Amino acid sequence: MLSLKNVSLRLSTEEREVTILSGIDLNFERGKMYALTGPNGSGKSTLARVIMGIQSPSEGKVIFEGNDITSMGLTERAQMGFGYAFQHPARFKGMRVLDLLEIAMRQGCDTECTCLRNIGLCPEEYLERPLDSSLSGGEMKRIEIATILAQDPRVRVFDEPEAGIDLWSFERLISVIGTSHDQGRITIIISHQEKILKMVDEIILIESGKIKMQGDRDSIWGQIYESARCACRENCKKEGENYAECTR
Ligand SMILES: Nc1ncnc2c1ncn2[C@@H]1O[C@H](COP(=O)(O)OP(=O)(O)O)[C@@H](O)[C@H]1O
Ligand SMILES: [Mg+2]
């Protein structure tokens, strides 16, 4: 079990202090797949960074299998079996696709070739390619997802894996994330995609840094669909009035 207990995050910008996450309580159970969804800027990637130890919370705790891991950083958590496919994967100058996969390899794939094939990239074409701007955003996303599959982590966070990925690769991606999940793992997918929201066990909706809804997929899906139809946001006001046109 992975738990976030009353996690808040405040950051100071030049002008003011902003609250990015506020009083987050969540439990992730082994064997379950979760979708974390919500509007742009609601705090999804920040929450992923807190889970991965990239960002320390201002308040609250992160507990994994009974141990308080709040003060552990990214490297320690990676060693414990946490893996994160970033929303915007980094391009590593001077490295090839093969080098990245070799670093990541544990027991997830038999070879670097199968890792790439699993996500629909031809190894013969890609293994020797440099990890630079010659790779498109969608190719980088798929290569990073391949490294997570190679790494075979127990806690996996995929941040908008669908971004920039074509329809054909998307189908394969969903399938490979689903089949590589098992009873020993926690899989968290940050996504807005209906297909992803419909394949998980539980959906968590975050808005303005707070958990708005959470629960099993079928009960939450209908409510999310309804709320997404309303263009109004709580904090969208003009002269004290709700500003966005709302058709509800
Ligand atoms: N380092 C930072 N300094 C100030 N604001 C930040 C910082 N990181 C994120 N934010 C803000 O926090 C909010 C949540 O960001 P993010 O977690 O990336 O949202 P999401 O992934 O849901 O689109 C956004 O309004 C973003 O601008
Ligand atoms: Mg994000």
Side-chain angles (χ1 to χ4, degrees):
M1 171 102 89
L2 170 69
S3 304
L4 304 185
K5 295 196 183 297
N6 196 27
V7 163
S8 295
L9 178 68
R10 287 180 294 278
L11 291 175
S12 299
T13 65
E14 276 178 18
E15 303 98 57
R16 61 200 175 100
E17 194 179 68
V18 285
T19 301
I20 315 278
L21 299 173
S22 175
I24 304 272
D25 283 312
L26 285 172
N27 290 319
F28 300 99
E29 287 171 41
R30 265 173 191 269
K32 282 195 173 176
M33 292 184 75
Y34 297 83
L36 178 60
T37 193
N40 299 131
S42 54
K44 304 179 296 297
S45 295
T46 308
L47 191 59
R49 286 199 292 276
V50 169
I51 290 173
M52 292 308 301
I54 300 167
Q55 185 97 52
S56 299
S58 316
E59 275 162 36
K61 285 186 175 154
V62 183
I63 311 285
F64 183 55
E65 293 178 344
N67 301 312
D68 185 342
I69 60 164
T70 318
S71 60
M72 287 186 186
L74 175 66
T75 312
E76 270 177 291
R77 287 193 211 186
Q79 283 162 355
M80 283 167 51
F82 284 49
Y84 179 36
F86 284 82
Q87 183 171 359
H88 304 291
R91 293 169 201 266
F92 300 96
K93 223 177 164 187
M95 277 178 79
R96 297 167 303 166
V97 172
L98 177 63
D99 303 323
L100 186 67
L101 287 169
E102 275 179 349
I103 293 168
M105 283 283 286
R106 282 203 199 136
Q107 61 270 47
C109 312
D110 313 334
T111 65
E112 291 83 355
C113 293
T114 35
C115 294
L116 285 183
R117 277 201 202 97
N118 285 347
I119 47 101
L121 292 178
C122 172
E124 287 72 21
E125 201 181 316
Y126 282 94
L127 278 175
E128 297 295 330
R129 295 269 307 263
L131 286 163
D132 61 15
S133 56
S134 67
L135 291 164
S136 74
E139 286 170 328
M140 272 309 301
K141 278 300 266 195
R142 284 196 278 164
I143 289 162
E144 193 178 53
I145 289 161
T147 65
I148 296 298
L149 297 172
Q151 190 191 335
D152 199 29
R154 289 186 293 165
V155 177
R156 318 183 300 172
V157 184
F158 297 95
D159 199 341
E160 302 200 21
E162 71 272 13
I165 288 184
D166 61 71
L167 196 58
W168 300 271
S169 312
F170 177 59
E171 292 294 331
R172 186 187 274 266
L173 181 76
I174 292 188
S175 150
V176 79
I177 291 178
T179 51
S180 59
H181 176 79
D182 60 30
Q183 288 312 306
R185 257 174 256 280
I186 294 170
T187 299
I188 304 167
I189 313 171
I190 298 175
S191 180
H192 311 286
Q193 281 292 324
E194 180 173 346
K195 275 207 163 170
I196 290 182
L197 266 56
K198 285 190 166 167
M199 87 176 201
V200 299
D201 301 294
E202 294 197 15
I203 300 177
I204 299 155
L205 173 64
I206 179 166
E207 271 185 29
S208 306
K210 292 183 185 150
I211 304 299
K212 188 84 186 271
M213 282 179 216
Q214 66 182 107
D216 70 272
R217 173 196 58 212
D218 294 332
S219 69
I220 298 292
W221 169 250
Q223 298 178 59
I224 287 191
Y225 189 73
E226 266 304 302
S227 74
R229 286 176 55 214
C230 175
C232 293
R233 298 278 299 279
E234 270 172 42
N235 54 0
C236 175
K237 297 210 190 258
K238 188 184 183 187
E239 293 160 7
E241 297 294 321
N242 270 345
Y243 177 46
E245 280 177 32
C246 181
T247 52
R248 294 179 90 190

